[in-house]
Every structure is written in structure tokens, then in C-alpha cells.
Amino acid sequence: MAGSNPQSNSDRPLPRVAVIGGGIAGLSAALTLQDAGVDVVLIESSDRLGGKIRTERTGDYIIEAGPDSILSYKPAGLAMIERVGLMDRVINTREGGQGTSILHRGRLQPLPEGMTGLVPADVRSLSTTGLLSWRGKVRLALEYFLPASRKATDESVGGFVRRRLGDEFYRNLAEPLLSGIYAGDADQLSLLATFPRLREQERQYGGLVRSTLAQRRNAQGRSGSRKRSPFISLEGGLGDIIDGLAAALTGVDIRTGTPATAIHHTGNGYRIELGAGAPVDTDAVVLATPAWAAAGLLRRMAPQLSWELDAIPYVSTATITAAYDATAAGDMDVGRGFVIPRAERRMLTAVTASSSKFPGRAPAGALLIRGYAGRANDQESLDRSDDDLAAVFRRELAEITGLAAEPRFTRVYRWPRALPQYNLGHPGRMSRIEALSTEYPGLVLAGAAYRGVGIPDCIQDGAARARDVLDRLDIPGRVHA
């Protein structure tokens, strides 16, 4: 798909920028560059745009192959939805019914109220939870009296949670929730790279319980109702955002099914070698691929930078979705889904009841259930065939919920090396990557591997890196910030 580019009033040709990678970060970068009046070419190796955002529509079913929601409190997501004209299609999670649960000793226990992060908004809700023994609850209460650490060094998320909230809280609550976000090993994840706010809360208020109580006091007396649930989607699925972005990129030369194979520095610009066809010459490059793919493209031109990028670890994942007759579920009620700690020794890491989470995901009389597999230190689960993955999903779902019926259909989606891991040392590696990148003016790196893994984070990062490029280019009529 290609469109005509804006014409300049100057005799100077417009700068040309290549965006390599057609995921949400690359699309956000391309839109920012297009809006600034730059000549943009978008190069994507696969035959579709969107990266891990992929929605399959089968009859009246809406199936998310990758992520199924966006955090509403991060503004970049809603801002992009508004930019592509889809605000009237935003939907909240369903009201009422049971929320999210955690599998604990083979039984589903409700997640404590208000716990959307690692610390509940209402710490009192933990007093009645079945996820903690009385010893665990006492240990949690003692957090109020623990002094704050003043060490400047990084620590693992697992180490921080154990230090502040205790081993049992970490094992039964924090670890399964972390698996749902990063599919990572919390004892390796960097606190400063993943949850820096927790360190700030400890230092500002003296502890996490103190922080929660202070924020509750500050919130008292505020008026106004919340228009958005914490997680949102679109009526037609998240794929609508990709379709909206593709339609908005009228001035971008979009080349899908076109793998880039290498990048060369050519003095004042860059030459991008392609798997087929003539190379592309550009003034600047936004490299919005996974870090391991960027490392391959830069290996000859920037070997040290390539080495640092290749050192960012990734975890592979898979999603398995099955549709069931609602009558087969009986009185089963798993709410919007549940997460599964490592200690339960299951292949599945989480289950989402898609048709309960958002409206319009399945026709009347049907249930749509999705399972997640793959996490750090358990990649052998994904060595199974698609049929075996689906069979284990059905067996574990039956053992946990009692839903043993044969599904109407099943879909398996694999995501090799999908989730970057912000392990200990990630902030230092990012400093080195940014320093090494300055040796190549006009070359920037964007995407989930660097500054945030969520959809709003990637949207924001793609736009920010595009603005970095614009600040370096001589664009007729543009006033630099």
C-alpha cells in the first residue's frame, strides 16, 4: 500500500526515513513521521502489520491471538485510538460477576480486591484472603514497621517483594501476577526497569502499606466517576487499531512481506539491504524490531551495539483459545479468569474467560476461553505440537474448573521469542545501548525490548524515537523543539 507524500514549498527534497518493523511501535513511529511531512518507507518481513497484535474473526467469535486489552491509565493507548478515529468503539470490561482468581493448592481463590498491580489498593482485603496463612498475614502487617532501604543499587523484583511483604505473599500472589505480565523469573527481573514506582513508594512513604494508606487518604473527597475500566479493548478486537493505523498511513510506502537483511552506514545516511529487490537508501532509520532481530541487522555495521542487543533475553509463549457450548459449563464460574503460580506445576500460566471479560467476543450460548503457556525456565512446555498444546490446555482446564466438554473449535498461536526480559542489569545495558547508538546519527531503536512492554509503552516509544529522528533532520518549515 503506498500513497503520495506531502509536497514541500522548498526546492530541497524531503528527508527519507525507513521504519523497519510493522508492529505497534513501528506503526506509531511511521505515523509520527508522516504527520511531520517526512518521506517514510515502512519495511515489514511478515505479510501482515501489527506484530503480536492479531485478531481473528471467525463467524461471531472475536479471538485475540496475542494481547487482548490495553491499560487505560497509560494515556498513549487511548490517544492513539482517538488519533485513528476509534474512540466510539472503545469498550470496558464487563461489569458485575466474579473477577480474577489465583489457583492455590488446586483451588481457585479470589484475587484480593483492588489488586491490579503487585500491591492491593485495599490492604484490608488481604485479611480475609485464602491465599495467605495467618503467618503470611502477620508478616504482611509487619511491613508497615520495616524501615525503607536507602541503597541505590538495583535488586530483583522477587527480592524486593520478599523483603517488604514476605515469602508467602511473593509465592502466592506476586509471582503469578508477574508471570502474567512478563512471563519472567521474578528473581531475575530488574526492579528499576520493571516497577520503579515500588522503589519510589518505599523511599517516599517508608513502605508499601504506608504508601497505600497515604494514597487512599489523598483520594478521599475526590468526585467524579471512572469512565474507563483499568483494561479496555475495541468492539472488533485490538486488530481494529492496526487497521485504523494502516488506513491513516496514507503517505507511507508500506512494504509487507519484505525482510530487511542488513543495514549499512553510507556517510550521511543508511542503505538497507532487502531479501528481495533493490536496497533502500534513507537519511535515517527507526529500527522497531525485536532486539534479537535488530542485532542481526546491525551485526556488520555496529558489532558492539549488536552484541548488547543480542544479550537481551526473550521468552517464547503460546495462546490456546477454545469455544464451548455454554450449557456444557454448568455452574462453572471462573469470572474473567485466573492466574497460575509456578508452584502448581501446570503448563498453563493463566486462563482468561474472553467472553466474560469483554462483550461481543462470542455468540449467545457460547463461551470463549483462552489459555497462556510459556514462561522463563519452563520453555520445554512449548516443545509440544499444536495438538498436544491444545490437549494439555483442555485437560488442565477440566481439572481446575470441571469443564470437560469437547470444544466447538480450538486455535493455537505461537509467539517465539516474544517477550523481552528486563533482567538485572537492564538499566545499565540500556545506557550502553544508547551511548553506542549515538555513534550512528539518525539510527534509533524502538519497541518492547527497551523502555516498556505494554501496548501504550510501545506506542509512546515509537512516537518518541520518531521525534528523536525528526530533531536531527533538516525538514523544510519545521521548527525544532
Side-chain angles (χ1 to χ4, degrees):
M1 176 172 57
S4 59
N5 290 303
Q7 297 297 312
S8 170
N9 294 327
S10 169
D11 292 335
R12 286 175 293 163
L14 290 172
R16 192 179 202 201
V17 180
V19 177
I20 305 179
I24 192 67
L27 294 171
S28 176
L31 185 63
T32 301
L33 294 165
Q34 173 191 268
D35 288 350
V38 174
D39 180 7
V40 185
V41 55
L42 175 64
I43 300 168
E44 165 57 41
S45 61
S46 73
D47 60 1
R48 52 174 289 274
L49 299 174
K52 291 183 283 294
I53 299 177
R54 177 182 172 187
T55 302
E56 179 184 333
R57 300 171 181 91
T58 301
D60 291 330
Y61 294 93
I62 296 175
I63 304 167
E64 298 287 15
D68 69 347
S69 58
I70 297 175
L71 282 171
S72 63
Y73 67 81
K74 292 190 174 184
L78 280 168
M80 180 60 77
I81 291 172
E82 183 174 21
R83 170 64 180 80
V84 298
L86 295 173
M87 285 296 285
D88 61 338
R89 296 181 61 80
V90 174
I91 56 174
N92 293 329
T93 50
R94 288 183 184 272
E95 294 183 358
Q98 185 178 333
T100 302
S101 300
I102 293 180
L103 187 66
H104 179 59
R105 297 179 179 176
R107 299 182 62 184
L108 294 176
Q109 297 282 353
L111 190 68
E113 186 178 350
M115 193 160 178
T116 56
L118 295 185
V119 182
D122 183 1
V123 293
R124 291 174 298 184
S125 65
L126 288 164
S127 63
T128 59
T129 182
L131 291 165
L132 296 175
S133 68
W134 69 266
R135 289 186 179 88
K137 292 172 184 176
V138 170
R139 172 61 180 85
L140 177 64
L142 290 175
E143 196 272 346
Y144 184 90
F145 303 99
L146 293 179
S149 171
R150 299 299 174 183
K151 293 182 180 179
T153 55
D154 198 2
E155 65 183 312
S156 72
V157 177
F160 175 87
V161 174
R162 288 191 185 96
R163 177 170 63 80
R164 295 301 317 177
L165 303 169
D167 291 342
E168 195 174 330
F169 184 97
Y170 165 77
R171 186 174 58 252
N172 296 347
L173 282 136
E175 186 275 327
L177 292 174
L178 282 165
S179 292
I181 302 171
Y182 290 96
D185 180 350
D187 285 326
Q188 294 297 319
L189 291 174
S190 159
L191 181 71
L192 295 182
T194 56
F195 294 95
R197 180 63 182 149
L198 294 180
R199 171 68 66 82
E200 295 169 10
Q201 288 173 336
E202 180 185 24
R203 291 184 173 177
Q204 181 178 355
Y205 296 100
L208 303 183
V209 173
R210 289 175 182 270
S211 171
T212 298
L213 295 174
Q215 292 178 60
R216 185 192 304 157
R217 287 193 298 268
N218 293 338
Q220 289 177 355
R222 292 179 185 171
S223 59
S225 60
R226 187 183 183 91
K227 295 182 179 179
R228 304 291 181 198
S229 57
F231 298 97
I232 59 169
S233 186
L234 297 175
E235 291 175 0
L238 294 185
D240 282 358
I241 300 175
I242 306 304
D243 295 340
L245 271 162
L249 295 174
T250 56
V252 174
D253 177 6
I254 299 178
R255 305 184 188 184
T256 55
T258 307
T261 58
I263 301 173
H264 306 287
H265 200 197
T266 58
N268 293 327
Y270 297 89
R271 170 162 288 187
I272 302 166
E273 301 287 347
L274 304 178
V280 174
D281 292 316
T282 67
D283 298 289
V285 178
V286 178
L287 198 43
T289 66
W292 51 264
L297 293 173
L298 296 172
R299 190 155 286 127
R300 292 178 62 187
M301 183 186 82
Q304 191 173 357
L305 176 58
S306 172
W307 187 90
E308 291 285 1
L309 293 170
D310 224 7
I312 297 175
Y314 276 76
V315 167
S316 299
T317 61
T319 62
I320 309 102
T321 294
Y324 293 89
D325 290 325
T327 54
D331 58 358
M332 181 196 77
D333 184 10
V334 297
R336 293 174 187 152
F338 52 91
V339 292
I340 303 173
R342 258 178 221 278
E344 297 294 321
R345 300 185 181 277
R346 298 280 184 176
M347 178 196 77
L348 294 175
T349 62
V351 169
T352 297
S354 302
S355 50
S356 298
K357 186 174 182 179
F358 289 112
R361 286 333 190 224
L367 298 174
L368 198 62
I369 310 292
R370 184 166 83 146
Y372 304 78
R375 60 175 132 203
N377 307 320
D378 184 25
Q379 293 296 276
E380 61 270 16
S381 291
L382 301 184
D383 292 339
R384 299 177 171 92
S385 68
D386 285 3
D387 287 343
D388 285 346
L389 280 176
V392 176
F393 162 75
R394 292 195 299 271
R395 186 186 75 235
E396 293 191 355
L397 185 65
E399 291 171 352
I400 295 169
T401 70
L403 179 57
E406 190 69 19
R408 293 179 178 180
F409 63 81
T410 305
R411 298 284 188 272
V412 175
Y413 305 92
R414 293 179 181 269
W415 300 104
R417 299 175 76 180
L419 285 176
Q421 301 297 291
Y422 292 4
N423 286 347
L424 286 166
H426 186 80
R429 174 164 289 117
M430 281 304 305
S431 295
R432 295 192 296 274
I433 287 171
E434 289 167 0
L436 290 166
S437 298
T438 61
E439 299 177 19
Y440 304 93
L443 174 71
V444 297
L445 297 153
Y450 311 114
R451 305 164 189 92
V453 299
I455 292 174
D457 300 312
C458 291
I459 291 171
Q460 179 174 310
D461 196 51
R465 303 291 77 77
R467 289 192 292 270
D468 289 344
V469 166
L470 291 170
D471 287 341
R472 289 182 174 272
L473 297 176
D474 185 12
I475 304 173
R478 184 173 188 267
V479 178
H480 290 252

